[in-house]
Amino acid sequence: SQQGEEDPQALSIQEGENATMNCSYKTSINNLQWYRQNSGRGLVHLILIRSNEREKHSGRLRVTLDTSKKSSSLLITASRAADTASYFCATACSFGGTSYGKLTFGQGTILTVHP
Amino acid sequence: SQTIHQWPATLVQPVGSPLSLECTVEGTSNPNLYWYRQAAGRGLQLLFYSVGIGQISSEVPQNLSASRPQDRQFILSSKKLLLSDSGFYLCAWSVAYSGNTIYFGEGSWLTVV
């Protein structure tokens, strides 16, 4: 299994601060994705970074990928109360150069942003 | 645009009763379809995935089964529910063979009592 493991399990910050969440995985990947889940809702895709990329930005989100360390980080800058949610990393298998879309999710980081 | 519908949103079922959760996708053809389960708001466990009609792969042995009677319809079933089947079930789809983004439904809360 190449399940991602997020760290920390929970993070509590004040509005305006930056939030950093980390993800580690075990085997070779095709890509790594981050998802967000509001309480009791479905997951929403945030950003995808491919195995040949090292950094990617999307608005206030910054994702890094270090394939040598099999780790990724998600940075949310200038956090808002509305960013309160659970954040999951997910890895797509590297299988003969083609991924079949099966994602393996980590346990998630619960982010709480206080107004 | 593509949409995914999943129902029912919540249900409470007695132990030993059957289960049927349904999911349909609109606006795309030949999607990969998935059923995930999430316990206690934590990580997701892939239960089943399908790359085509009648093609179902099971990831973990369990009391559940899945079927894909039509291209964009995915059904999760059980003949006899167990207490341990309680959880949050999520249907999802992705573009076939893309290995990219998975799009989730809003989920179904199942409580077995």
Side-chain angles (χ1 to χ4, degrees):
Chain A
S1 168
Q2 54 181 350
Q3 184 176 25
E5 294 294 336
E6 284 92 342
D7 171 59
Q9 291 189 350
L11 180 61
S12 182
I13 60 175
Q14 295 295 128
E15 246 185 349
E17 296 179 341
N18 295 341
T20 299
M21 290 160 269
N22 303 297
C23 170
S24 60
Y25 57 92
K26 297 179 180 176
T27 59
S28 295
I29 61 171
N30 180 282
N31 65 66
L32 186 145
Q33 303 177 37
W34 285 90
Y35 287 78
R36 165 194 168 126
Q37 183 183 34
N38 286 357
S39 181
R41 305 295 297 276
L43 280 74
V44 176
H45 179 259
L46 294 176
I47 195 165
L48 179 153
I49 186 165
R50 301 190 187 282
S51 60
N52 61 353
E53 297 176 310
R54 291 297 167 259
E55 188 172 312
K56 204 162 184 179
H57 296 256
S58 177
R60 293 184 296 113
L61 304 180
R62 172 178 171 254
V63 170
T64 61
L65 178 65
D66 187 334
T67 53
S68 66
K69 295 181 180 178
K70 292 186 170 59
S71 67
S72 173
S73 67
L74 170 67
L75 169 66
I76 303 175
T77 59
S79 63
R80 306 165 182 168
D83 294 328
T84 295
S86 293
Y87 292 83
F88 295 88
C89 70
T91 52
C93 291
S94 177
F95 183 76
T98 302
S99 172
Y100 290 89
K102 289 171 55 179
L103 294 185
T104 303
F105 286 81
Q107 293 299 304
T109 293
I110 300 172
L111 173 65
T112 304
V113 182
H114 300 282
Chain B
S1 64
Q2 301 87 5
T3 56
I4 179 169
H5 303 283
Q6 181 180 345
W7 70 94
T10 60
L11 65 166
V12 179
Q13 296 282 101
V15 169
S17 65
L19 170 73
S20 180
L21 299 179
E22 295 195 32
C23 173
T24 59
V25 180
E26 297 176 357
T28 188
S29 296
N30 193 33
N32 287 349
L33 295 172
Y34 311 87
W35 279 109
Y36 284 87
R37 178 168 59 198
Q38 185 178 35
R42 300 302 288 176
L44 279 73
Q45 179 186 37
L46 179 62
L47 302 176
F48 301 95
Y49 74 96
S50 171
V51 298
I53 295 175
Q55 301 179 60
I56 310 294
S57 295
S58 174
E59 290 294 296
V60 294
Q62 57 206 321
N63 185 42
L64 303 169
S65 62
S67 62
R68 184 171 177 172
Q70 300 181 44
D71 180 46
R72 290 169 290 173
Q73 183 184 23
F74 208 24
I75 299 171
L76 183 69
S77 304
S78 174
K79 293 182 178 178
K80 291 185 178 181
L81 284 168
L82 305 172
L83 286 174
S84 58
D85 292 323
S86 294
F88 190 47
Y89 290 83
L90 290 154
C91 182
W93 74 274
S94 68
V95 174
Y97 303 114
S98 70
N100 290 339
T101 302
I102 286 186
Y103 301 93
F104 285 85
E106 284 301 304
S108 298
W109 285 99
L110 169 64
T111 303
V112 183
V113 296

